[in-house]
């Protein structure tokens, strides 16, 4: 773990992957700014996980307990952390029922990892409705990057996801708990996403 060079409290990131080289690389990407914990299996991840963890970077395909199973357990335990799936598995409609916050397909760069953690820390301050809308938009974008327009139009799962997005848009509160707009949304982004 790196030493803090910042006077602000360092957030904790748990990296879970059965490939030690990838865990070490992601740790190197983050150690300067975050407290980094590592786990090389699903079982080890659940032993390491605590309420101090703000973000989990989680591989889906691991021997023994899969990332999907780890994610389900995190949510069952009601641990308040953001989860980013970082995996070589190309997404399909099977991701719709997974309660992750973001999805990255390997290979990923230093910037991909750092940006994902930063986004998750911003999202941690959102209320539940905002978290769900951002997770829904992330799932839609992931599927849109992997499916053709005719595939999306034919997918009842994708249609249900877009309908859920529309429902959430109607109930969304764009103002954070401090009375300021959520920092991730400029006027242009709000117009683009919510209009």
């Amino acid at each position: 773990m790196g030493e803090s060079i910042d006077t602000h409290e360092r957030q904790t990131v748990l990296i879970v992957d059965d490939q030690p080289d990838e865990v070490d690389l992601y740790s190197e990407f983050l150690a300067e700014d975050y407290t980094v914990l590592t786990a090389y299996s699903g079982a080890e991840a659940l032993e390491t996980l605590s309420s101090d963890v703000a973000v989990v970077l989680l591989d889906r395909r691991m021997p023994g307990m899969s990332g999907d199973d780890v994610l389900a357990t995190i949510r069952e335990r009601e641990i308040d952390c953001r989860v980013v799936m970082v995996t070589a598995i190309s997404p399909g409609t099977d991701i719709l029922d997974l309660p992750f916050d973001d999805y990255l397909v390997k290979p990923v760069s230093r910037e991909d990892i750092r940006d994902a953690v930063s986004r998750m820390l911003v999202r941690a301050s959102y209320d539940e409705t905002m978290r769900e809308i951002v997770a829904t938009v992330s799932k839609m974008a992931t599927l849109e990057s992997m499916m053709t327009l005719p595939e999306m139009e034919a997918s009842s799962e994708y249609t249900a996801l877009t309908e859920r997005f529309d429902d959430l848009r109607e109930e969304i509160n764009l103002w954070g708990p401090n009375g300021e707009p959520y920092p991730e949304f400029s006027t242009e982004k709000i117009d683009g996403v919510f209009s």
Side-chain angles (χ1 to χ4, degrees):
M1 289 185 235
E3 290 186 18
S4 177
I5 57 171
D6 192 335
T7 57
H8 301 291
E9 183 179 330
R10 290 167 61 94
Q11 297 292 321
T12 301
V13 178
L14 172 60
I15 303 169
V16 186
D17 198 307
D18 62 313
Q19 300 297 316
D21 290 345
E22 291 189 14
V23 172
D24 295 345
L25 183 63
Y26 301 162
S27 295
E28 186 178 308
F29 292 164
L30 298 171
E32 183 177 323
D33 297 314
Y34 305 99
T35 299
V36 177
L37 305 175
T38 59
Y40 301 97
S41 70
E44 185 180 358
L46 295 176
E47 290 173 13
T48 305
L49 191 63
S50 72
S51 62
D52 294 335
V53 174
V55 178
V56 177
L57 301 178
L58 180 61
D59 187 23
R60 280 187 77 186
R61 185 180 298 148
M62 296 183 289
M65 179 179 268
S66 73
D68 294 359
D69 293 336
V70 173
L71 176 60
T73 303
I74 290 171
R75 297 306 187 218
E76 285 169 10
R77 290 183 183 176
E78 297 182 354
I79 297 171
D80 188 24
C81 64
R82 309 285 52 87
V83 178
V84 179
M85 303 304 276
V86 184
T87 180
I89 299 174
S90 292
T93 56
D94 63 317
I95 69 167
L96 297 178
D97 292 327
L98 296 175
F100 61 83
D101 297 284
D102 206 352
Y103 196 102
L104 300 177
V105 178
K106 296 176 185 178
V108 293
S109 69
R110 179 181 194 275
E111 292 75 28
D112 294 333
I113 294 292
R114 292 182 59 78
D115 289 349
V117 170
S118 178
R119 281 192 314 273
M120 293 306 101
L121 294 173
V122 169
R123 288 183 194 180
S125 67
Y126 293 176
D127 65 27
E128 272 309 306
T129 303
M130 181 57 90
R131 287 182 193 172
E132 186 177 355
I133 198 167
V134 173
T136 300
V137 168
S138 179
K139 288 178 183 180
M140 290 170 63
T142 299
L143 291 175
E144 289 165 1
S145 72
M146 305 303 288
M147 298 171 79
T148 65
L149 183 57
E151 289 172 331
M152 288 185 288
E153 290 172 348
S155 169
S156 60
E157 295 92 348
Y158 182 80
T159 300
L161 191 63
T162 58
E163 289 171 357
R164 180 64 185 146
F165 172 73
D166 290 340
D167 291 345
L168 289 167
R169 254 187 0 178
E170 290 180 20
E171 65 183 72
I172 194 69
N173 176 6
L174 295 178
W175 301 95
N178 61 359
E180 297 292 320
Y182 286 108
E184 208 171 47
F185 295 107
S186 65
T187 302
E188 295 80 21
K189 288 180 184 175
I190 291 170
D191 289 344
V193 174
F194 296 107
S195 62

